[in-house]
Amino acid sequence: MNPLAYLGEQLAAWREAGTYQRLRVLESECVPVARVDGREVINLASNNYLGLTTHPKLREAALEATRKFGVGSGAVRTISGTMRLHLDLEERIARFKNVEACVVFQSGFTANAGTVSAILMHEDHIISDELNHASIIDGCRLSRAKIHVFPHKDVDAARRKLADLAGQPGRKLLITDGVFSMDGDIGPLPELTALAEEFGAIMMVDDAHASGVLGRNGRGTVDHFQLHGRVHVQVGTLSKAVGVLGGYVCGSRDLIEYLHHRGRPFLFSTSHPPAVAAACLAAFDILEQEPERIEALWENTRYFKAGLAAAGFQTGLSETPITPVMVGEAAAAHAFSRALFDAGVFATGIGYPTVPHGKARVRTIVTATHTREHLDRALEIFRSVGRAMRLIGE
Ligand SMILES: *Cc1c(COP(=O)(O)O)cnc(C)c1O
C-alpha cells in the first residue's frame, strides 16, 4: 500500500476540475517576446517590470563577481557567509530608501516570514489585510501571535480591531501589502499609518510589487505617499523590478540588528551568491540613472489598461502595472490562459487558493520593455480570444 496515494487522488481531482497546472518552460531569457514551450509569445506573465533581468550592466556585474569571488558564499550570514558585497548592498539599499539600516534575505518570502515571526511573540496581535501575501500569512502563523484579519483595504474595520484590542496586553502589528499582487491595487498606507500611530501599533508594509515601480526612482509606497519615518518596517523584493533575487527589510538599526539575531532564514539558510549581490547593487544604480524605464513602464501600463477596458474586459481595481482580467471560475481562467497562449500571448490563469473562489482571473503585467507593437498585438489577441470565449461582446 502506498501511504502517499491520496496525493495522486488529489491530482486526478484537479485534472478533472481543469485546475491542474503544468509548469510552462521559459526557453529564452525573460524578455517581452519570449520562447515558452517551444513558441514565441508576448510575455505578460513576468514581474520583470523594468527589463533588468537582461540588463548588460547587471549581467556584467554578476559575471565579474563570479570571476572574483566564485559562485557561492559558503555559509549562512552569521557563521562566515557575510561577504563585503552583502554589506555594500545593504548600505546601498538603506541609503536609497533613506532609512537607518537594511538587511537582505534570500527572498522576499523569507524577508516577510522571517521578520514577522521574529518580532512578535505568542501574546501579541497582528492586524492584517485579508489579501496580504502568503509570506506574511506564514510569518503571522509562525509567530504564534493572534491574527486578526480585516476585509481588504477596510480601514474602519482595522480601526475597530485596534480599538477592541486597546486594553489588552501584547504588542500590535498592523500590516499591509503596498501593492496587492493579484489585483494591482495600492494599500491605504496613509490611513493605516495614522491608525498605527493612534493606537501605538507597529506599522509594516510589504512593497514587493512597489519596489522599482512606485515612488521616486521606485523607492516604494512610503516614498509615493510621503510617509518617510512613519512606517517602522518596510519589506521590498530584489526578485521583481530589480530583476535578480532576494528580499530586504528596511528600518531602524535596532530592528535590523535584532533580525541578525532572530530572523530565522538569516540565521539558518545560506546567503546569496556573490553574483546575486553584485547584480542587485548594479540594479540600484540603474534605478537612479535610468528613470526613463519607470516612465516607460507607466506609459505602457496606461496604454494597455485603456485597450483592455475599451475591449470590454473587467480589469478590477488595478492602479498599477498588474492588471487582472476577471473571468470568474478557476477552470475558465485556466482555459482562457491556454487559449491566449495558443494565440501568442503568455498571461497566467490564477484561481483558488491564490485568489478567492469565483474571482479567478488571467493576470497581465506589462513591462517597460514592451513596445507599442507588442501591446497592440497582445490587445488584438485578447479581443479575438475574449470574443470566442464570450468574455466580451462582439
Ligand atoms: C512576490 C511577492 C513576495 C515574495 O517575493 P520573492 O522575492 O519572490 O520571494 C512577497 N510579497 C509579495 C506581495 C509578493 O508579491
Side-chain angles (χ1 to χ4, degrees):
M1 207 201 84
N2 173 8
L4 286 178
Y6 64 102
L7 302 182
E9 287 157 20
Q10 179 63 76
L11 288 164
W14 286 331
R15 282 199 188 87
E16 182 70 21
T19 56
Y20 175 87
Q21 288 268 63
R22 200 178 53 75
L23 300 175
R24 289 206 184 275
V25 180
L26 177 64
E27 293 159 355
S28 66
E29 300 184 327
C30 178
V31 281
V33 178
R35 174 165 281 273
V36 180
D37 286 347
R39 289 197 55 133
E40 299 289 322
V41 287
I42 300 170
N43 184 4
L44 298 177
S46 88
N47 302 309
N48 184 21
Y49 288 107
L50 303 175
L52 297 191
T53 58
T54 53
H55 194 290
K57 288 186 177 163
L58 274 73
R59 206 191 287 263
E60 199 42 54
L63 288 170
E64 197 198 320
T66 301
R67 278 190 291 264
K68 265 188 166 157
F69 300 111
V71 295
S73 69
V76 303
R77 289 284 303 272
T78 48
I79 307 287
S80 64
T82 294
M83 303 176 92
R84 176 61 56 196
L85 276 169
H86 296 131
L87 298 179
D88 287 349
L89 176 60
E90 289 168 341
E91 280 161 25
R92 183 80 176 83
I93 298 172
R95 256 188 291 129
F96 179 76
K97 297 279 282 185
N98 196 22
V99 292
E100 269 180 37
C102 169
V103 57
V104 169
F105 284 79
Q106 297 85 352
S107 67
F109 196 106
T110 53
N112 269 326
T115 300
V116 174
S117 60
I119 64 176
L120 296 175
M121 320 292 150
H122 75 274
E123 66 274 18
D124 298 332
H125 298 274
I126 299 168
I127 299 92
S128 176
D129 188 291
E130 67 178 337
L131 295 189
N132 278 346
H133 192 258
S135 55
I136 292 178
I137 297 169
D138 286 10
C140 292
R141 291 178 183 158
L142 287 168
S143 75
R144 299 201 197 89
K146 286 164 210 76
I147 302 163
H148 310 269
V149 173
F150 62 87
H152 184 46
K153 290 175 66 166
D154 188 338
V155 177
D156 289 334
R159 160 180 290 280
R160 285 193 296 276
K161 301 264 184 209
L162 279 162
D164 283 349
L165 295 169
Q168 295 192 33
R171 298 177 191 85
K172 284 94 192 178
L173 172 76
L174 183 53
I175 185 164
T176 184
D177 279 9
V179 171
F180 288 87
S181 53
M182 295 302 144
D183 293 87
D185 51 342
I186 301 175
L189 203 56
E191 295 81 1
L192 292 177
T193 301
L195 257 192
E197 284 167 348
E198 183 182 338
F199 289 95
I202 304 159
M203 185 68 217
M204 175 165 171
V205 65
D206 172 10
D207 256 350
H209 281 285
S211 312
V213 173
L214 279 176
R216 285 170 307 136
N217 303 87
R219 283 177 170 78
T221 49
V222 168
D223 189 78
H224 174 76
F225 286 118
Q226 292 295 313
L227 297 168
H228 295 281
R230 295 174 60 194
V231 174
H232 305 99
V233 189
Q234 293 184 60
V235 168
T237 184
L238 303 167
S239 327
K240 290 176 175 148
V242 172
V244 194
L245 173 70
Y248 59 84
V249 182
C250 281
S252 68
R253 185 157 302 283
D254 285 352
L255 169 70
I256 302 312
E257 287 187 8
Y258 183 89
L259 291 173
H260 290 171
H261 290 81
R262 286 290 180 275
R264 290 172 69 84
F266 186 86
L267 290 154
F268 295 111
S269 183
T270 298
S271 56
H272 279 156
V276 169
C280 290
L281 266 166
F284 283 89
D285 292 342
I286 304 297
L287 289 180
E288 291 189 331
Q289 290 163 8
E290 300 180 13
E292 62 275 13
R293 284 179 183 267
I294 300 179
E295 282 157 31
L297 170 66
W298 283 95
E299 184 63 35
N300 280 347
T301 296
R302 283 186 287 273
Y303 185 77
F304 193 66
K305 273 190 203 307
L308 286 173
F313 287 106
Q314 299 298 317
T315 56
L317 306 170
S318 170
E319 306 165 80
T320 67
I322 299 172
T323 306
V325 176
M326 306 308 286
V327 175
E329 290 313 315
H334 294 307
F336 187 36
S337 171
R338 279 194 297 274
L340 287 167
F341 187 85
D342 292 339
V345 166
F346 186 17
T348 321
I350 296 174
Y352 182 82
T354 310
V355 295
H357 283 296
K359 292 200 172 173
R361 65 208 56 191
V362 163
R363 185 178 68 162
T364 66
I365 300 182
V366 299
T367 71
T369 47
H370 285 94
T371 64
R372 217 17 92 74
E373 294 77 66
H374 296 148
L375 298 182
D376 284 338
R377 192 141 48 90
L379 285 168
E380 183 47 46
I381 292 169
F382 260 93
R383 276 192 295 270
S384 65
V385 176
R387 277 194 210 110
M389 296 188 65
R390 304 199 178 285
L391 293 168
I392 52 171
E394 288 303 316

